[in-house]
Amino acid sequence: LSCKVLSSVVTPCYCFVSPQIRVKPDNTGVVTDGVKHSMNPFCEIAVEEAVKLKEKKLIKEVVAVSCGPQQSQETIRTALAMGADRGIHVDVSGKDYENLGPLQVSKILAALAKQEDAQLILLGKQAIDDDCNQTGQMTAALLDWPQGTFASEVSLEGDKINLVREIDGGLEHIKINTPAVITADLRLNTPRYATLPNIMKAKKKKIVTVKPADLGVDVTSRLEVLKVEEPPQRQAGMKVETVEDLVVKLKEAGRV
Amino acid sequence: MAAVGALSRIARLGSRICKNRVTLSGNSQRRGIAACIDPSHGLTDEQKEFQKVAFDFAANEMAPHMAEWDQKEIFPVETMRKAAQLGFGGIYVQPDVGGSGLSRLDTSIIFEALSTGCVSTTAYISIHNMCAWMIDSYGNKEQREKFCPDLCSMEKFASYCLTEPGSGSDAASLLTSAQRKGDHYVLNGSKAFISGGGDTDVYVVMCRTGGKGPKGISCLVVEKGTPGLSFGKKEKKVGWNSQPTRAVIFEDCAVPVANRLGEEGQGFNFAMKGLNGGRINIASCSLGAAHASVQLARDHLLVRKQFGETLSNNQFLQFKLAEMATKLVASRLLIREAAQALQEDRPDAVAICSMAKLFATDECFNICNQALQMHGGYGYLKDYAVQQFVRDIRVHQILEGEVFSLSLAFLFVFCHILVWLLWFHVRQL
């Protein structure tokens, strides 16, 4: 497969390492001040897979992409230290960033894929802060490309891709054409640690900054978050003496 | 869809906490970063990357095993080799012989992070690094090419031999003799308390080739398997159990003159220069332990309830934790300043490295000790990591410049300065 460019999306997500996640007092979201950001674990797996394919000489180049404020560049640097060749930082900040959702990101990715003439887009299956699991699928739809989601095994065969997907029923084997979108699941690989020499080499690799407008993408959100609440407190359970009691109680609670 | 949901929740939980791909065991403790003691403040982006790799490695490859290594006295060769693959085998060794070519400050940051995973192993890695650096800095082309690549990849491990049964603080009075016989030196004597001794491959030995005092000391590299090189019994220690400690014995041990670093009589000079970096490294290890202990203490205070509320509501404990956090940050700043001074070869480098070691090892031990106290009875159980941090860093106050002797050295210098100032003042009058 003479792959021109492999685009890998790295989503900087809030990796909550504080003991407790707290909802903001005005119920508009969760508290993010002082919380460390790091690369989304599934995106790490996607980057690792991309770098592996490059090492097998099946693809030519790995481009790491991130959408967000200036800090997103740190996540791109991590991807570069893992072996990506160059980075594209799509600058989205402030209110636009707070409202950035899968639809907007997938529009950006579709535009970038066309611009870079990419043959393959590898993403993490979902971000661990919002768990949307939509970006990959939407990107494929916008580009009208085949998609292989929840991939736990990827192999290239000529200009087709053999994929094993993790689904509820077990494992599904499919074969899709390129260009395609693949989303990485947990068991696809174990991401490597960046080595000290690679971190230093990454400094010399290029990160280009673009704005969504440059790509012709409108990032206005079609969604409005009305309220964010903590899950209800766990209620105490109840003990019953007989099975008849159980059925009565279940009927009372409207469960049967 | 339920299965996918459950799977992703488990994955998310696993990813969120310690980035472990293994399910959480009851014993694995989260090491989150509280914002005010965050060790990445003030670092460059590149240094933050180094630190991140080191923290991840410590959390994933070291922390889950630290108790077992301590209990079973395992020297974790495979894990250390994995660390070497990331570049941790020769952090401040030149790249042309396989090192990572980083600065003293980068090194301090890395050891501090690794230490949160296992102090004893990190301390050994720092000793190994010092040996590799010594050969890199003071060896000739042949010696550098012969020894450094294997040391940087940890294909071979190194030990540093200075201390003897009769000379600890008074290192210059060492007795191990090296008599020149043609193209060999014949070594006789013994070294004590050698970290890694018996299990390591390369020994950097300070021995006496000339007369008494520091000017008679030279530095020789001795390889394991050399006839006449033997080892004492493995010492049983309170901590630092993931590295074996043995006496190293020389009985008519013939070492090629080609293995001498630099000229005869330069050995003590090398040793003193090495100790500056060694002090920063050991202090950095103490720092990591203290950082981990503060987080463990905080986690415990948030969970343990007495008198109807969590201990975190107790004002005394709040004040105590705040003090611990303050001393931690103060230690960290002093160590990083010392690293910077050493890197720039400033005139105050020796003094500030000693000050950093003196201050940080003492304060960090107190921090770990107080963290243990905050755990109450549980702190005394080996199921809880905090006791291992306390045991492991206690020795940092002893080696690489014993704190009382460092204090004496200061007192000596300080008195001299006082006398001089008085004299100057009197002259002015």
Side-chain angles (χ1 to χ4, degrees), chain B residues 286-312:
Chain B
S286 288
L287 209 49
H291 182 84
S293 299
V294 167
Q295 290 177 320
L296 288 172
R298 180 209 55 197
D299 288 347
H300 184 77
L301 295 180
L302 288 169
V303 159
R304 174 72 174 170
K305 276 191 170 160
Q306 287 288 268
F307 307 110
E309 47 180 25
T310 54
L311 293 184
S312 55

PDB file of all heavy atoms in Angstrom, chain B residues 286-312:
ATOM      1  N   SER B 286      15.137  11.222  47.247  1.00  0.00           N
ATOM      2  CA  SER B 286      14.380  11.527  48.470  1.00  0.00           C
ATOM      3  C   SER B 286      13.137  12.343  48.141  1.00  0.00           C
ATOM      4  O   SER B 286      12.066  12.136  48.716  1.00  0.00           O
ATOM      5  CB  SER B 286      15.245  12.321  49.448  1.00  0.00           C
ATOM      6  OG  SER B 286      16.222  11.512  50.022  1.00  0.00           O
ATOM      7  N   LEU B 287      13.312  13.250  47.192  1.00  0.00           N
ATOM      8  CA  LEU B 287      12.211  14.119  46.783  1.00  0.00           C
ATOM      9  C   LEU B 287      11.034  13.321  46.246  1.00  0.00           C
ATOM     10  O   LEU B 287       9.868  13.550  46.589  1.00  0.00           O
ATOM     11  CB  LEU B 287      12.739  15.036  45.690  1.00  0.00           C
ATOM     12  CG  LEU B 287      12.177  16.410  45.492  1.00  0.00           C
ATOM     13  CD1 LEU B 287      12.113  17.159  46.781  1.00  0.00           C
ATOM     14  CD2 LEU B 287      13.062  17.152  44.500  1.00  0.00           C
ATOM     15  N   GLY B 288      11.329  12.345  45.396  1.00  0.00           N
ATOM     16  CA  GLY B 288      10.270  11.527  44.815  1.00  0.00           C
ATOM     17  C   GLY B 288       9.514  10.769  45.882  1.00  0.00           C
ATOM     18  O   GLY B 288       8.281  10.677  45.867  1.00  0.00           O
ATOM     19  N   ALA B 289      10.284  10.229  46.844  1.00  0.00           N
ATOM     20  CA  ALA B 289       9.655   9.474  47.928  1.00  0.00           C
ATOM     21  C   ALA B 289       8.738  10.389  48.736  1.00  0.00           C
ATOM     22  O   ALA B 289       7.613  10.015  49.091  1.00  0.00           O
ATOM     23  CB  ALA B 289      10.727   8.870  48.831  1.00  0.00           C
ATOM     24  N   ALA B 290       9.235  11.601  49.035  1.00  0.00           N
ATOM     25  CA  ALA B 290       8.433  12.531  49.825  1.00  0.00           C
ATOM     26  C   ALA B 290       7.164  12.923  49.070  1.00  0.00           C
ATOM     27  O   ALA B 290       6.079  13.012  49.651  1.00  0.00           O
ATOM     28  CB  ALA B 290       9.253  13.775  50.166  1.00  0.00           C
ATOM     29  N   HIS B 291       7.296  13.151  47.776  1.00  0.00           N
ATOM     30  CA  HIS B 291       6.141  13.518  46.948  1.00  0.00           C
ATOM     31  C   HIS B 291       5.094  12.425  46.994  1.00  0.00           C
ATOM     32  O   HIS B 291       3.907  12.665  47.246  1.00  0.00           O
ATOM     33  CB  HIS B 291       6.615  13.768  45.525  1.00  0.00           C
ATOM     34  CG  HIS B 291       5.533  14.191  44.593  1.00  0.00           C
ATOM     35  ND1 HIS B 291       5.113  15.497  44.475  1.00  0.00           N
ATOM     36  CD2 HIS B 291       4.742  13.483  43.743  1.00  0.00           C
ATOM     37  CE1 HIS B 291       4.136  15.569  43.595  1.00  0.00           C
ATOM     38  NE2 HIS B 291       3.896  14.367  43.126  1.00  0.00           N
ATOM     39  N   ALA B 292       5.539  11.188  46.784  1.00  0.00           N
ATOM     40  CA  ALA B 292       4.598  10.068  46.813  1.00  0.00           C
ATOM     41  C   ALA B 292       3.953   9.943  48.191  1.00  0.00           C
ATOM     42  O   ALA B 292       2.750   9.683  48.319  1.00  0.00           O
ATOM     43  CB  ALA B 292       5.311   8.772  46.441  1.00  0.00           C
ATOM     44  N   SER B 293       4.758  10.159  49.250  1.00  0.00           N
ATOM     45  CA  SER B 293       4.236  10.015  50.612  1.00  0.00           C
ATOM     46  C   SER B 293       3.203  11.078  50.939  1.00  0.00           C
ATOM     47  O   SER B 293       2.208  10.793  51.615  1.00  0.00           O
ATOM     48  CB  SER B 293       5.383  10.087  51.627  1.00  0.00           C
ATOM     49  OG  SER B 293       6.292   9.038  51.386  1.00  0.00           O
ATOM     50  N   VAL B 294       3.433  12.299  50.476  1.00  0.00           N
ATOM     51  CA  VAL B 294       2.444  13.361  50.723  1.00  0.00           C
ATOM     52  C   VAL B 294       1.110  12.994  50.079  1.00  0.00           C
ATOM     53  O   VAL B 294       0.043  13.153  50.676  1.00  0.00           O
ATOM     54  CB  VAL B 294       2.947  14.724  50.177  1.00  0.00           C
ATOM     55  CG1 VAL B 294       1.824  15.739  50.134  1.00  0.00           C
ATOM     56  CG2 VAL B 294       4.078  15.242  51.028  1.00  0.00           C
ATOM     57  N   GLN B 295       1.171  12.446  48.864  1.00  0.00           N
ATOM     58  CA  GLN B 295      -0.072  12.063  48.192  1.00  0.00           C
ATOM     59  C   GLN B 295      -0.749  10.898  48.902  1.00  0.00           C
ATOM     60  O   GLN B 295      -1.982  10.876  49.045  1.00  0.00           O
ATOM     61  CB  GLN B 295       0.214  11.703  46.739  1.00  0.00           C
ATOM     62  CG  GLN B 295       0.574  12.936  45.937  1.00  0.00           C
ATOM     63  CD  GLN B 295       0.945  12.607  44.514  1.00  0.00           C
ATOM     64  OE1 GLN B 295       1.628  11.624  44.260  1.00  0.00           O
ATOM     65  NE2 GLN B 295       0.520  13.420  43.592  1.00  0.00           N
ATOM     66  N   LEU B 296       0.059   9.941  49.370  1.00  0.00           N
ATOM     67  CA  LEU B 296      -0.520   8.814  50.102  1.00  0.00           C
ATOM     68  C   LEU B 296      -1.185   9.305  51.381  1.00  0.00           C
ATOM     69  O   LEU B 296      -2.281   8.876  51.736  1.00  0.00           O
ATOM     70  CB  LEU B 296       0.573   7.789  50.438  1.00  0.00           C
ATOM     71  CG  LEU B 296       1.112   6.981  49.257  1.00  0.00           C
ATOM     72  CD1 LEU B 296       2.314   6.151  49.690  1.00  0.00           C
ATOM     73  CD2 LEU B 296       0.036   6.081  48.680  1.00  0.00           C
ATOM     74  N   ALA B 297      -0.500  10.245  52.069  1.00  0.00           N
ATOM     75  CA  ALA B 297      -1.059  10.781  53.309  1.00  0.00           C
ATOM     76  C   ALA B 297      -2.374  11.498  53.025  1.00  0.00           C
ATOM     77  O   ALA B 297      -3.380  11.292  53.715  1.00  0.00           O
ATOM     78  CB  ALA B 297      -0.063  11.739  53.967  1.00  0.00           C
ATOM     79  N   ARG B 298      -2.374  12.332  51.984  1.00  0.00           N
ATOM     80  CA  ARG B 298      -3.586  13.060  51.637  1.00  0.00           C
ATOM     81  C   ARG B 298      -4.730  12.101  51.329  1.00  0.00           C
ATOM     82  O   ARG B 298      -5.859  12.255  51.788  1.00  0.00           O
ATOM     83  CB  ARG B 298      -3.322  13.981  50.435  1.00  0.00           C
ATOM     84  CG  ARG B 298      -4.540  14.774  50.029  1.00  0.00           C
ATOM     85  CD  ARG B 298      -4.533  15.097  48.575  1.00  0.00           C
ATOM     86  NE  ARG B 298      -4.396  13.901  47.759  1.00  0.00           N
ATOM     87  CZ  ARG B 298      -4.037  13.912  46.491  1.00  0.00           C
ATOM     88  NH1 ARG B 298      -3.755  15.056  45.900  1.00  0.00           N
ATOM     89  NH2 ARG B 298      -3.924  12.797  45.807  1.00  0.00           N
ATOM     90  N   ASP B 299      -4.429  11.066  50.525  1.00  0.00           N
ATOM     91  CA  ASP B 299      -5.471  10.093  50.181  1.00  0.00           C
ATOM     92  C   ASP B 299      -6.030   9.429  51.432  1.00  0.00           C
ATOM     93  O   ASP B 299      -7.234   9.203  51.559  1.00  0.00           O
ATOM     94  CB  ASP B 299      -4.908   9.017  49.246  1.00  0.00           C
ATOM     95  CG  ASP B 299      -4.640   9.556  47.850  1.00  0.00           C
ATOM     96  OD1 ASP B 299      -5.112  10.671  47.541  1.00  0.00           O
ATOM     97  OD2 ASP B 299      -3.958   8.876  47.066  1.00  0.00           O
ATOM     98  N   HIS B 300      -5.134   9.096  52.365  1.00  0.00           N
ATOM     99  CA  HIS B 300      -5.574   8.422  53.586  1.00  0.00           C
ATOM    100  C   HIS B 300      -6.446   9.338  54.432  1.00  0.00           C
ATOM    101  O   HIS B 300      -7.481   8.921  54.964  1.00  0.00           O
ATOM    102  CB  HIS B 300      -4.366   7.949  54.397  1.00  0.00           C
ATOM    103  CG  HIS B 300      -4.734   7.169  55.620  1.00  0.00           C
ATOM    104  ND1 HIS B 300      -5.151   5.852  55.583  1.00  0.00           N
ATOM    105  CD2 HIS B 300      -4.774   7.528  56.925  1.00  0.00           C
ATOM    106  CE1 HIS B 300      -5.418   5.435  56.801  1.00  0.00           C
ATOM    107  NE2 HIS B 300      -5.201   6.431  57.646  1.00  0.00           N
ATOM    108  N   LEU B 301      -6.029  10.619  54.551  1.00  0.00           N
ATOM    109  CA  LEU B 301      -6.800  11.563  55.357  1.00  0.00           C
ATOM    110  C   LEU B 301      -8.209  11.758  54.798  1.00  0.00           C
ATOM    111  O   LEU B 301      -9.148  12.034  55.543  1.00  0.00           O
ATOM    112  CB  LEU B 301      -6.095  12.925  55.419  1.00  0.00           C
ATOM    113  CG  LEU B 301      -4.743  12.983  56.125  1.00  0.00           C
ATOM    114  CD1 LEU B 301      -4.215  14.407  56.080  1.00  0.00           C
ATOM    115  CD2 LEU B 301      -4.862  12.520  57.561  1.00  0.00           C
ATOM    116  N   LEU B 302      -8.344  11.615  53.483  1.00  0.00           N
ATOM    117  CA  LEU B 302      -9.660  11.815  52.864  1.00  0.00           C
ATOM    118  C   LEU B 302     -10.577  10.614  53.088  1.00  0.00           C
ATOM    119  O   LEU B 302     -11.779  10.710  52.899  1.00  0.00           O
ATOM    120  CB  LEU B 302      -9.501  12.056  51.359  1.00  0.00           C
ATOM    121  CG  LEU B 302      -8.928  13.403  50.961  1.00  0.00           C
ATOM    122  CD1 LEU B 302      -8.559  13.414  49.482  1.00  0.00           C
ATOM    123  CD2 LEU B 302      -9.921  14.518  51.227  1.00  0.00           C
ATOM    124  N   VAL B 303      -9.977   9.503  53.490  1.00  0.00           N
ATOM    125  CA  VAL B 303     -10.761   8.275  53.583  1.00  0.00           C
ATOM    126  C   VAL B 303     -11.026   7.866  55.036  1.00  0.00           C
ATOM    127  O   VAL B 303     -12.118   7.423  55.387  1.00  0.00           O
ATOM    128  CB  VAL B 303     -10.005   7.154  52.817  1.00  0.00           C
ATOM    129  CG1 VAL B 303     -10.434   5.781  53.264  1.00  0.00           C
ATOM    130  CG2 VAL B 303     -10.235   7.309  51.326  1.00  0.00           C
ATOM    131  N   ARG B 304     -10.002   8.034  55.871  1.00  0.00           N
ATOM    132  CA  ARG B 304     -10.096   7.547  57.250  1.00  0.00           C
ATOM    133  C   ARG B 304     -11.017   8.419  58.088  1.00  0.00           C
ATOM    134  O   ARG B 304     -10.864   9.622  58.129  1.00  0.00           O
ATOM    135  CB  ARG B 304      -8.701   7.536  57.868  1.00  0.00           C
ATOM    136  CG  ARG B 304      -8.647   7.191  59.338  1.00  0.00           C
ATOM    137  CD  ARG B 304      -8.922   5.751  59.595  1.00  0.00           C
ATOM    138  NE  ARG B 304      -8.740   5.393  61.003  1.00  0.00           N
ATOM    139  CZ  ARG B 304      -9.090   4.235  61.526  1.00  0.00           C
ATOM    140  NH1 ARG B 304      -9.642   3.316  60.768  1.00  0.00           N
ATOM    141  NH2 ARG B 304      -8.892   3.990  62.810  1.00  0.00           N
ATOM    142  N   LYS B 305     -11.977   7.805  58.763  1.00  0.00           N
ATOM    143  CA  LYS B 305     -12.913   8.565  59.596  1.00  0.00           C
ATOM    144  C   LYS B 305     -12.668   8.257  61.059  1.00  0.00           C
ATOM    145  O   LYS B 305     -12.511   7.106  61.458  1.00  0.00           O
ATOM    146  CB  LYS B 305     -14.351   8.162  59.250  1.00  0.00           C
ATOM    147  CG  LYS B 305     -14.933   8.870  58.074  1.00  0.00           C
ATOM    148  CD  LYS B 305     -16.428   8.606  57.987  1.00  0.00           C
ATOM    149  CE  LYS B 305     -17.032   9.533  56.948  1.00  0.00           C
ATOM    150  NZ  LYS B 305     -18.295   9.065  56.462  1.00  0.00           N
ATOM    151  N   GLN B 306     -12.632   9.313  61.867  1.00  0.00           N
ATOM    152  CA  GLN B 306     -12.648   9.145  63.310  1.00  0.00           C
ATOM    153  C   GLN B 306     -13.475  10.281  63.880  1.00  0.00           C
ATOM    154  O   GLN B 306     -13.496  11.377  63.341  1.00  0.00           O
ATOM    155  CB  GLN B 306     -11.223   9.201  63.890  1.00  0.00           C
ATOM    156  CG  GLN B 306     -10.363   7.954  63.612  1.00  0.00           C
ATOM    157  CD  GLN B 306     -10.790   6.737  64.420  1.00  0.00           C
ATOM    158  OE1 GLN B 306     -10.305   6.472  65.504  1.00  0.00           O
ATOM    159  NE2 GLN B 306     -11.726   5.974  63.893  1.00  0.00           N
ATOM    160  N   PHE B 307     -14.096  10.021  65.020  1.00  0.00           N
ATOM    161  CA  PHE B 307     -14.932  11.038  65.664  1.00  0.00           C
ATOM    162  C   PHE B 307     -15.973  11.591  64.685  1.00  0.00           C
ATOM    163  O   PHE B 307     -16.261  12.773  64.669  1.00  0.00           O
ATOM    164  CB  PHE B 307     -14.080  12.193  66.233  1.00  0.00           C
ATOM    165  CG  PHE B 307     -12.976  11.736  67.126  1.00  0.00           C
ATOM    166  CD1 PHE B 307     -11.664  11.832  66.716  1.00  0.00           C
ATOM    167  CD2 PHE B 307     -13.238  11.179  68.370  1.00  0.00           C
ATOM    168  CE1 PHE B 307     -10.624  11.397  67.535  1.00  0.00           C
ATOM    169  CE2 PHE B 307     -12.208  10.736  69.194  1.00  0.00           C
ATOM    170  CZ  PHE B 307     -10.896  10.846  68.770  1.00  0.00           C
ATOM    171  N   GLY B 308     -16.497  10.718  63.844  1.00  0.00           N
ATOM    172  CA  GLY B 308     -17.621  11.099  62.998  1.00  0.00           C
ATOM    173  C   GLY B 308     -17.275  11.858  61.741  1.00  0.00           C
ATOM    174  O   GLY B 308     -18.166  12.227  60.978  1.00  0.00           O
ATOM    175  N   GLU B 309     -16.000  12.132  61.508  1.00  0.00           N
ATOM    176  CA  GLU B 309     -15.677  12.810  60.250  1.00  0.00           C
ATOM    177  C   GLU B 309     -14.325  12.338  59.738  1.00  0.00           C
ATOM    178  O   GLU B 309     -13.554  11.713  60.454  1.00  0.00           O
ATOM    179  CB  GLU B 309     -15.684  14.327  60.451  1.00  0.00           C
ATOM    180  CG  GLU B 309     -14.928  14.797  61.683  1.00  0.00           C
ATOM    181  CD  GLU B 309     -14.973  16.307  61.816  1.00  0.00           C
ATOM    182  OE1 GLU B 309     -15.915  16.938  61.284  1.00  0.00           O
ATOM    183  OE2 GLU B 309     -14.055  16.855  62.435  1.00  0.00           O
ATOM    184  N   THR B 310     -14.035  12.665  58.473  1.00  0.00           N
ATOM    185  CA  THR B 310     -12.757  12.242  57.905  1.00  0.00           C
ATOM    186  C   THR B 310     -11.626  13.030  58.561  1.00  0.00           C
ATOM    187  O   THR B 310     -11.816  14.174  58.987  1.00  0.00           O
ATOM    188  CB  THR B 310     -12.700  12.469  56.386  1.00  0.00           C
ATOM    189  OG1 THR B 310     -13.012  13.831  56.107  1.00  0.00           O
ATOM    190  CG2 THR B 310     -13.654  11.551  55.647  1.00  0.00           C
ATOM    191  N   LEU B 311     -10.462  12.418  58.650  1.00  0.00           N
ATOM    192  CA  LEU B 311      -9.297  13.064  59.260  1.00  0.00           C
ATOM    193  C   LEU B 311      -8.945  14.369  58.552  1.00  0.00           C
ATOM    194  O   LEU B 311      -8.336  15.251  59.142  1.00  0.00           O
ATOM    195  CB  LEU B 311      -8.081  12.133  59.225  1.00  0.00           C
ATOM    196  CG  LEU B 311      -8.138  10.874  60.079  1.00  0.00           C
ATOM    197  CD1 LEU B 311      -6.803  10.135  59.984  1.00  0.00           C
ATOM    198  CD2 LEU B 311      -8.463  11.197  61.527  1.00  0.00           C
ATOM    199  N   SER B 312      -9.367  14.498  57.275  1.00  0.00           N
ATOM    200  CA  SER B 312      -9.038  15.702  56.516  1.00  0.00           C
ATOM    201  C   SER B 312      -9.707  16.940  57.104  1.00  0.00           C
ATOM    202  O   SER B 312      -9.344  18.064  56.776  1.00  0.00           O
ATOM    203  CB  SER B 312      -9.439  15.544  55.049  1.00  0.00           C
ATOM    204  OG  SER B 312     -10.807  15.205  54.972  1.00  0.00           O
TER     205      SER B 312
END
